[in-house]
Amino acid sequence: MTDYTPRSIARIQRDFADGLSPVAFVEGCFARIERSNDACKAMIFVGRDEAIDDARRMETELRSGRSRGPLHGIPIAIKDVIDVKGWPTTSGSRLFQDHVAADDAACVKNLRAAGAVIVGKTNLHELTAGSHENPWFGKVTNPLDPSRGTGGTSSGSAAAVAAGYCVAALGTDTGGSNRSTAAATGLVGFKPTNGRVDVAGVRPTAPSLDTIGPIANSIEDARLVHFASQGGDVPQREVVELAGLRIGLCPDLHAAAIDPVVADAHAGWLRTLEEAGACIQHLEFPLAERVKDAGLTILQFEFAEQYAHLIGSKPEAVGNQVRSFLAAGVAINTATYEMALAFRAEACEAFQQVMSEADLLAAPVAPGLAPRLSDEMTAVGVDVVPYGLAGGTFRRWANFLRLPTLAMPLKTQGRLPASIQISTRPDTDAKLFSVCEALRTVEAR
């Protein structure tokens, strides 16, 4: 269990204004990394010297009256599929063990311009396609409970935030990777509308499904990091009234059982929202089962397009799980892939009609609580089911339908949190953050 107590980005900035040294704050992150990362395995590269130099620069600027914005001096970790100049980008695999990035990814450049201090690279499922048991960098342990994992594939990014190795982290989300890991660690995980964050300098998984987003301690922190990584100004938050807000529930999208602990957390949260004046709408989407199948086709085919040649030339450089995933993709022919793309266009259009009946969509992030470290299974009642493979049912539809989606924690009676994900229409990312802030207010009632 971690003894780290997080502070919000806004709180840290007030502390900086009151005299807290950004250098001392970043050094605190490195002290925690040194103390527990051998067991946690969240970080696979630590850039201490460069980060301390950057923190000194940020401190000098602050003391001279210059601020680059809300991320000035804020330590952030980066999933190791995203390039940071001069650092390795391994993608959690020996396939890229000798790769050193020649430049920062576009999103990292944007974070630096906003004043962020990049502290290191985080662990992940190998090539974002392997299992939680990364054969080269090990299993990531959940800071909330060492007998639990964090899911994947942004496993290290979530653990790094939860353990206090950074204030926020960037991950990638192709089928739920930011949301499942945030759910397991009691954090906020965000998947933006596809294409909103520049993917230059980010190693792909399945380009038409890939997105880049933050994992953070709060909705507001995630909002600040997301818009900084996108570049440009942070938009003003909108006022969203709970009274009359239409909350859509679409069980067709995740037609699978969930654990009673998760179900009870969701039901209690929805009851409180109804008491505050929100309206619960039950939505139907008959295409949902085909969405699941077509999404897997696109994911596996596009992954094979990216990696078949590289892995074929060095099969010993990847683990068994990656080889199995690749074999499934290689077996898919182009005609089947193109049919899946055509169906995707049809489904996206059809789902816009579904979403017209509600202001937002609320859905489970995962079937159960944080997965067991031993086998990445999670309890659903008396049964156990795979936590990671549940992504095809519980999370990938958001990538397939291009919906901005944010996972946020819900309290349970036990020590592990549940989570719920909120989606709005494509290209309404700023609105989604405002909606989620309004929804969060029910926790205090």
Side-chain angles (χ1 to χ4, degrees), residues 39-79:
C40 181
K41 295 183 171 60
M43 308 296 297
I44 59 177
F45 179 86
V46 178
R48 188 183 191 284
D49 291 345
E50 184 176 334
I52 294 297
D53 286 345
D54 288 344
R56 288 195 183 102
R57 190 177 309 112
M58 294 302 107
E59 183 165 334
T60 299
E61 290 181 3
L62 278 181
R63 301 300 174 245
S64 65
R66 181 191 175 192
S67 173
R68 302 188 185 203
L71 295 192
H72 194 112
I74 300 298
I76 292 179
I78 306 294
K79 185 175 180 177

Side-chain angles (χ1 to χ4, degrees), residues 409-425:
L410 296 178
K411 292 178 181 177
T412 67
Q413 294 300 312
R415 53 193 170 79
L416 291 173
S419 186
I420 196 157
Q421 58 188 334
I422 308 301
S423 302
T424 52
R425 295 171 184 81

